[in-house]
Structure formats: C-alpha cells, structure tokens
Amino acid sequence: MCPQPIIQFRRVSKVYHKGGADIHPLDEITLTIQEGDFVALMGPSGSGKTTLLNLLGGLDTPTSGEVIVCGQDLAALSSHERARWRCDHVAYVFQAYNLLPVLTAYQNVELPLTLMPLSRRQRREHALKALEIVGLSDRVHHRPDELSGGQEQRVAIARALASDPDLLLADEPTGDLDAHSAQEIMSLLIALNRDYGKTIIVVTHDPKVAHAAHRELHLEKGVLSRDVDMKNQRM
Amino acid sequence: MRLLLLNLLRKPLRTLLTVFGVGVALFLFCFLEIVLAAFNAGVNMADASRLVVQHKESIIFELPMAYRSLIEQAEGVTGVTTASWFGGLSQEPLADGEKREEFFAQFATDIERYLSLYPEIKVPPDQLRNLLSDRMGCLLGVKIAERLNKKVGDRLVLRSTIWTQKNGSTIWEFNVRALYTTDSPTFDQTMMLIHDKRFDEARQFGQGSVGLYILGITDPERSAEISAAIDARFANSPYETRTMTEKAFNLQFVGMIGNFQFLLRSIGSAVVLTMLLVSANTMMMSARERTREMGILKAIGFTDGHVFLLLIGEALAISLLGALAGVGLAWLLANALHYNPKPDFFPIFYLPGQSMLAAVGLAALTGLLSGIVPATAGMRLSATESLRSV
C-alpha cells in the first residue's frame, strides 16, 4: 500500500535542450491522483503526455518541481535507486508492446520477477497467474512473433501485473491494435482497476478509451488544460 | 543468465560464425605458440644446476678429453660428462614403411655419468645394465624409437655425416639396448646416446677429444663464479674454454635462427589481431541493434549495471566459447593426438600451459574490449531515448 495520494506533482516543469533551443514539454504542472484511480491522459501530439508518464515512472527527472509517487520524491533518487524503485512500484505497458523477442510469453512475464527476492517456484506462480488473468494460459510457451498484436499486448499487461505494482502506466496501449483487440485490452484494464484496485494512468488519443476512465486529464502545450471527473459526469 | 544465453541464440549463425572467427584466431595463436615453444624447447629443458663447457671460439672446435679430470677438481662441481655430436642419419625403413634418411640428435658420451647429471631421463634398470655392458649399445628416447620403428634388442644403422670409421666407412651399427622416457613435458625424447669409448676408438680422426663437457654444480647461484674459475683454469692454453649455463648454451642455437621467430610472431600476431578485430566488430554490431531492448529492460526495473553486465557478458561468452574451441583444438592436436608436422625438426611439439592461459586471456581481453563500448553505451543510455529508437 502507498500513502494517499499515490501521486503528487508540485509545479513540475521539464525542459529539453534540442538543436540550440529550449523545449518545454511540461510547464508548472500540479496535480494529485488517489490510489485506485483510473486516469486517462489526453492531448495532442507533443503536448507532454509521454513526458509526464516518464516522470511518473521515474524514467526521467523533472527540471524543477517535485514528483512524489508512493510517498517517494523521485528526483531525490539516483538512477540506480530509481530503477530499483520502479521495479517495486511501477509497471509499464507500451503502445509497441515491447516484449523481448527472444523470450517466450512466460519468460517475458517472469523477467521483472527475476529482480525480486522470489524463489523460482514463486516466480512461476506469479507469472502463470498473471498470464491466466489476461487469458493467455494457453500461449505460455509462444514467442512474441507467434502471437497476434492483441495477444502481445496482453502479455505486456501480464508482465506489468506479475510484480503486483502499485501503479500501472500505459502509453497508448491500444494505439497499434484493431478495434476488437483494443476493446479487449480496455476491458482488461478496466477489470484490473475494478477487481484488483490497481491505479492506472493511460495515455490515449482515443475518446472511447478515455471514457472508460474515472478521470480525464487534458494537456496542451505542456499545461494541464482540463481535469474532468468522469464519475460525476456519468451520474 | 538465461537472457544472456537466449540473446546469443537470437541469431545462431552469426553467433556461430563469430565464435568460429575467435576460435580460428586463437587456434592460430596457439599453433604459433607451439612452434615457438618447439624452437625454444632446448632452452626450456635446461637446468640451472648444469653448466656446459665448450671451446672458446666455437662449438665446432673440440676440447681435449684430459680436461675432464681438471674440470672435476673445480670447486662446486658435482659431476662431469662429455658429449660429442655424432651427426648421423638413420638408414632403415621408418615406422610408416618408407625408407628415408631420418635426422635426430645423437651424442657420444659417458652414458652412466650423463644419466647421473640428467635425472629427468628414466631408464628401466635391467635395460640400463644391458646398455652399460654393451659397447655397441645405444639408448634411444621412446619417441625416436617409435618413429624409427625400433625396440630393445633391434639393430640400428646410422650414416654419420661427420665421423668416418677407421675402416673408411661412414656407416655405424648400434644395438638398441635401452629406451628412455621422462616425466618432464619439455624434455626431448628423440635423443640417442652412444658410448664415447667405442666412438673414440672407432673413429678415424679426433681421438682424445670431445665436443663439450656438461657438468653439475652444487649451487646454481654460483654458476657465474664456477664458470669463470673453469675458464681461468684453461686461459692461455691451446684450447681455451667458454663455460656457460645450459640455458645460455641452448640459447645459442635459438639465436642462430636469427629474427625468424620475430618474423613468425609478427605475421601471426597481425593475422590473429585482424581476426579478433573482425569478431569484435560483429559483437559490437549485435549489441547496437538492441538499443530499444535496453530501454525496455530499464523500464521494467533493470539497473544500468544489469544492462552493462548483460552486454559485456554476451561479448565475453562469445570470446570464451571461441577460446574453448580454438585452444581446445590446438591442445587436442598437439597434446592429446601428438600431432607433429616435422618431428625431425621439432623434437618437442606441445602446447605449453602458459600459452593456453595466454590464449584464454587474449579471448577475455577481446570480449572485454569489444563489449566495453556497447556495454558502457547501453549503461549510459536513457531509457526514454532508447524506447524512442526504432
């Protein structure tokens, strides 16, 4: 369990130096997200969605401000400490699935568990359980190139679930999928949030995906332009 | 570890070819080491407690046999024997059935004294008794006996390229009375010893002289002092001497080959280095292709150190597999199958342990050098950057 709120952004800015110019993908963002929330992060390309997601997962550090996730100020950690912290608290689901092609579905799911103090038997139990949750118990020994796009994304979700993270970050998880597979993945994410209480942040362009969330955050030019509570709207 | 192994199997043909490249390079390295060790075999079999006395001007000039008792009197000397080069060629069908003149080392010596100075030489006691009681007898190393297809009791005919018998013949006959072995991997097992008394009496010229003296000393640290004392004893005589350690004596012969060893080592090293560079480049390419995967690993919690170890581990594994193949093949060929392309030229042909270690070290160094660049780059790579790469 993480202390509430699970995510706190305090006047977070990020500046990149590229081609001699300063780029501001995020500018003075302040927001809080509670544990168990399902948040859709929307906005046009270049609005700072992925940068915000990277800051949340400790893959990047802010230029200024504080990013506090699960009670930890991520900017205060070294690269090595952030990697360990990520392993314990966060899991990613990417648009391009990002499975390792040399590993089977089971081995991909088991991979983050090898960083944890678990026995081989425990790792096996966790990995098989995660694959069962995403409905791929019959594809355990298949390699990514033997799976459909939807199945690959489900393996990626199983990999994210296996380590029982506090926070699941998904960067356009349905972006590369057909409508049917996209619907399946969204149903899966909704179930994970509803049945397992996982806090989920999804970057998406798809309004249908966003509607499944409890809350919609809209970014424009690095600024939080809209924060919509979808639960109240549905009522 | 599993990821490392699976990465190696990702493109099996490329991995196999890279391992093969490293393996061939290290096989060449080992073979070169074998040849160089063969050149230096005499130096390696030398013992610090033995000195050699030769004519001051050159080894081709003889010394008086009367010097023996004088050398024996020198302080610190434990024993003295003589050795005269016989220079014979075998005249009989060899083990392969072909009849050709075979060259190998033969010395006329006081065999009993010689053996007391060379404890490395092992002769069965009954054979030794027979050898010492037969003036026509000879002692053969087991390897030359095998090559000449000779066993104890056989007759051996040599044609000397130097010594003519009193009857005008250059053909000398001997009885094979004993075969010697040795526990030392660097000791020559292709020598032949004959009795100096019979040799001296039968030869047409040179009676009362010997090629050189070999002596044992009590303290190897006093070799310079003892050598100087012996040479001083014969200074200003018609036969001045030059006394040196057995190693220095043997080094003279290596020196006669001149810069051939340097040439051989230079060419070999260039070939080996080129092959290792090609293999290293392949390993680096393989790592660069997987930039995105490094980002994935970091995103799921692998540290920079994990990524570094994974990449350097892959390069090391390929290099060491190559070493296993290359060094293993060279060892099998020279040490297990006793392959020798020119046994008359290389009496000792084996892969020394230190050369095997050097080859494995070279492989590890190649692995480290080829892995260090991509591994450091992978370690420093930002996860967000690498996930953006195609």
Side-chain angles (χ1 to χ4, degrees), chain A residues 54 59-60 79-80 83-84 86-87 92 94 96 98-103 107 110-112 114-115 143 159, chain B residues 2-3 6-7 9-10 292-293 295-306 382-385 387-388:
Chain A
N54 289 339
L59 286 178
D60 208 348
S79 164
H80 181 85
R84 306 305 283 174
R86 205 158 43 239
C87 174
Y92 271 93
F94 301 95
N98 283 346
L99 301 177
L100 294 189
V102 289
L103 303 181
Q107 288 165 342
E110 191 198 23
L111 192 59
T114 59
L115 300 170
R143 289 186 194 284
R159 179 176 67 188
Chain B
R2 179 166 59 192
L3 186 58
L6 289 169
N7 277 336
L9 296 174
R10 174 188 301 245
R292 187 181 180 86
E293 287 180 26
I296 299 169
L297 290 176
K298 289 186 179 186
I300 64 176
F302 279 75
T303 63
D304 296 340
H306 283 130
S382 122
T384 52
E385 286 294 320
L387 284 169
R388 266 199 286 271

Side-chain angles (χ1 to χ4, degrees), chain B residues 314-328:
Chain B
E314 283 177 32
L316 269 176
I318 286 179
S319 299
L320 292 176
L321 279 173
L324 188 70
V327 179

Side-chain angles (χ1 to χ4, degrees), chain A residues 146-217:
Chain A
E146 296 165 339
L147 299 170
S148 69
Q151 287 170 332
E152 277 193 80
Q153 193 61 296
R154 281 197 273 162
V155 174
I157 292 172
R159 179 176 67 188
L161 278 181
S163 55
D164 193 23
D166 299 310
L167 186 59
L168 199 153
L169 305 173
D171 193 355
E172 300 194 45
T174 59
D176 279 2
L177 299 176
D178 59 62
H180 177 70
S181 299
Q183 183 55 50
E184 278 184 352
I185 293 300
M186 278 319 299
S187 302
L188 189 55
L189 290 178
I190 291 165
L192 290 176
N193 174 254
R194 184 188 60 225
D195 303 337
Y196 296 91
K198 296 288 169 204
T199 309
I200 298 175
I201 317 284
V202 182
V203 168
T204 184
H205 288 288
D206 186 346
K208 277 189 250 171
V209 173
H211 273 81
H214 304 158
R215 187 176 168 194
E216 272 184 33
L217 294 174

